[in-house]
C-alpha cells in the first residue's frame, strides 16, 4: 500500500529533500499560527518537525482528502501540545480547508492548542493530559488484529510524558500481546515544562526499560531524515513480532539558535522583531 496516493516509498534523495522541506514548512507554519494565538509551544514542535514530516510524507498509508479511510495507518499524539505543527500537515493532505489555519485557536475555530478528534478531520484521537495516547494506540492496534485489518499505529510521546505511570501500563500490555503493528516514537529532546527531564525523575536507562516490557528498541537521530525514514519503513514493511519503541534523539527548539535546549521556550510568544529574525533563520537568510 502507498504511504499516500502518488507518494514514493523509497528513501531516494527526492523523497528525503521533500521531507526536509516539509519539516521546515512545519516550523514556519508553527511560527505563523502562534502569532495568531499569541502564545504557543514553539520548541516542543520544532523538536519533532522531522518526525512528523517523515511520518506524513514518507511512511503513513493515507488517502489524500479521505481522513476516514478504514485501512489508513493511525497516528496519535501523546504530546498534544505540538498539535500546532500537525494541523498544517493535515490541511496539506486535504483533510480540511487550509483557510481554517488562519483562525487557529479563535472562537468557533476547531483548531485548538490541543487536538480534538471530534472537530479536526484527520485527528485520530484527542489529547490533553499527558500519558493517555499510548493506551489509545494499544487499543487501536488490538482492534486492527481483532478485525483483520493490517494498519499500523504510531504514537508520538514526549520524553517528559514518560513520567506518567499509564505509559508503562500500556507498554506492559502491548508487550504481552506482541503488537508488532504498534510503534511508539519518543521525542527524546531532554526537556519538559519544568526543566531537564532527568533532573526531575530520570527515565534512564530508557532503552532497557522498553525492552523489559517486551518491546524492540531502535535509537535514531530524530533530525536525520534518511535515518528516520529508513527506520520507520523497515518497521512498517518488516512484520515485526513485537511492538517497537523508536527513541528519537532530538533538540528542543531545533532550528532556532536561541530556543535550542532552553526550556523557557516550552511555552511563549515571539515579539514582532524576534519573530522576523526567527523566520529569517528558518529560511536560511542572513
Amino acid at each position: 500500500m502507498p504511504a499516500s496516493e502518488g507518494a514514493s516509498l523509497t528513501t531516494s534523495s527526492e523523497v528525503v529533500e521533500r521531507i526536509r522541506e516539509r519539516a521546515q514548512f512545519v516550523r514556519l507554519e508553527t511560527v505563523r499560527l502562534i502569532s495568531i494565538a499569541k502564545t504557543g509551544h514553539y520548541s516542543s514542535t520544532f523538536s519533532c518537525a522531522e518526525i512528523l514530516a517523515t511520518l506524513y510524507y514518507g511512511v503513513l498509508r493515507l488517502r489524500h482528502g479521505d481522513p476516514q479511510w478504514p485501512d489508513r495507518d493511525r497516528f496519535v499524539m501523546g504530546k498534544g501540545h505540538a498539535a500546532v505543527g500537525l494541523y498544517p500537515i493535515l490541511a496539506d493532505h486535504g483533510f480540511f480547508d487550509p483557510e481554517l489555519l488562519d483562525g487557529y485557536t479563535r472562537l468557533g475555530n476547531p483548531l485548538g492548542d490541543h487536538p480534538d478528534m471530534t472537530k479536526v478531520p484527520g485527528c485520530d484521537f484527542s489529547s490533553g493530559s499527558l500519558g493517555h495516547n499510548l493506551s489509545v494506540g494499544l487499543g487501536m492496534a488490538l482492534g486492527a488484529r481483532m478485525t483483520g485489518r493490517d494498519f499500523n499505529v504510531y504514537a508520538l510521546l514526549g520524553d517528559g510524558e514518560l513520567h506518567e505511570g499509564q505509559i508503562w501500563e500500556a507498554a506492559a500490555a502491548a508487550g504481552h500481546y506482541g503488537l508488532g503493528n504498534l510503534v511508539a516514537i519518543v521525542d527524546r529532546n531532554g526537556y519538559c515544562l519544568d526543566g531537564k527531564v532527568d533532573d526531575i525523575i530520570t527515565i534512564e536507562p530508557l532503552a532497557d526499560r522498553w525492552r523489559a516490557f517486551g518491546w524492540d528498541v531502535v535509537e535514531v537521530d530524530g533530525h536525520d531524515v534518511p535515518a528516520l525514514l529508513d527506520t520507520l519503513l523497515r518497521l512498517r514493511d518488516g512484520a515485526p513480532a513485537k511492538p517497537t519503541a523508536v527513541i528519537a534523539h532530538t533538540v528542543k527548539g531545533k532550528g532556532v539558535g536561541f530556543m535550542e535546549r532552553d526550556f523557557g521556550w516550552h511555552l511563549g510568544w515571539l515579539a514582532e522583531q524576534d519573530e522576523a529574525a526567527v523566520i529569517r533563520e528558518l529560511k536560511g537568510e542572513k
Side-chain angles (χ1 to χ4, degrees):
M1 287 184 176
S4 59
E5 290 188 347
S8 170
L9 296 185
T10 71
T11 55
S12 69
S13 59
E14 294 84 358
V15 173
V16 168
E17 285 308 309
R18 170 65 170 165
I19 292 171
R20 286 175 175 152
E21 183 273 327
R22 290 290 85 183
Q24 289 300 82
F25 162 75
V26 166
R27 291 187 173 96
L28 288 165
E29 280 292 273
T30 294
V31 173
R32 183 176 76 87
L33 297 186
I34 291 176
S35 181
I36 296 169
K38 302 296 189 289
T39 186
H41 298 87
Y42 299 100
S43 59
S44 295
T45 306
F46 291 174
S47 70
C48 65
E50 281 78 14
I51 297 171
L52 291 173
T54 299
L55 285 169
Y56 274 90
Y57 295 97
V59 177
L60 296 181
R61 295 173 291 189
L62 304 169
R63 281 184 177 170
H64 187 89
D66 187 3
Q68 295 301 317
W69 179 40
D71 290 320
R72 71 191 184 281
D73 286 334
R74 271 59 167 178
F75 174 72
V76 294
M77 292 189 79
K79 49 177 290 176
H81 51 284
V84 65
L86 177 63
Y87 296 147
I89 292 175
L90 298 182
D92 196 34
H93 274 31
F95 294 158
F96 57 80
D97 188 339
E99 289 187 2
L100 282 177
L101 295 169
D102 298 334
Y104 171 65
T105 71
R106 301 302 86 188
L107 185 64
N109 189 286
L111 307 179
D113 191 48
H114 288 69
D116 185 337
M117 64 183 291
T118 69
K119 298 178 180 179
V120 183
C123 174
D124 286 317
F125 208 81
S126 308
S127 58
S129 297
L130 298 173
H132 299 322
N133 270 9
L134 186 59
S135 295
V136 171
L138 161 70
M140 290 176 173
L142 275 172
R145 175 183 290 179
M146 294 172 68
T147 57
R149 296 190 181 277
D150 68 349
F151 63 78
N152 294 321
V153 183
Y154 300 83
L156 177 60
L157 312 175
D159 52 357
E161 185 176 5
L162 303 189
H163 290 152
E164 300 287 343
Q166 186 175 342
I167 291 287
W168 301 107
E169 294 177 21
H176 172 78
Y177 289 113
L179 294 177
N181 60 338
L182 177 61
V183 178
I185 304 172
V186 179
D187 182 0
R188 186 68 167 113
N189 63 42
Y191 291 85
C192 59
L193 175 63
D194 297 316
K196 291 185 177 180
V197 169
D198 292 312
D199 286 348
I200 296 165
I201 300 176
T202 185
I203 58 174
E204 294 294 343
L206 186 55
D208 290 342
R209 291 190 185 200
W210 286 103
R211 292 189 183 102
F213 282 93
W215 290 57
D216 288 331
V217 178
V218 180
E219 299 197 50
V220 65
D221 180 339
H223 302 298
D224 184 335
V225 171
L228 269 175
L229 185 59
D230 180 69
T231 295
L232 293 171
L233 286 177
R234 286 177 184 274
L235 292 174
R236 191 198 65 188
D237 299 332
K242 298 178 180 180
T244 302
V246 176
I247 301 174
H249 296 277
T250 62
V251 175
K252 196 171 181 76
K254 177 69 174 180
V256 177
F258 68 83
M259 288 187 184
E260 291 185 357
R261 299 184 176 89
D262 182 351
F263 73 90
W265 278 103
H266 180 88
L267 180 67
W269 178 36
L270 289 163
E272 185 177 349
Q273 65 271 24
D274 294 326
E275 179 181 308
V278 164
I279 291 171
R280 289 196 300 271
E281 184 173 355
L282 290 173
K283 290 183 174 180
E285 300 172 355
K286 292 183 179 180

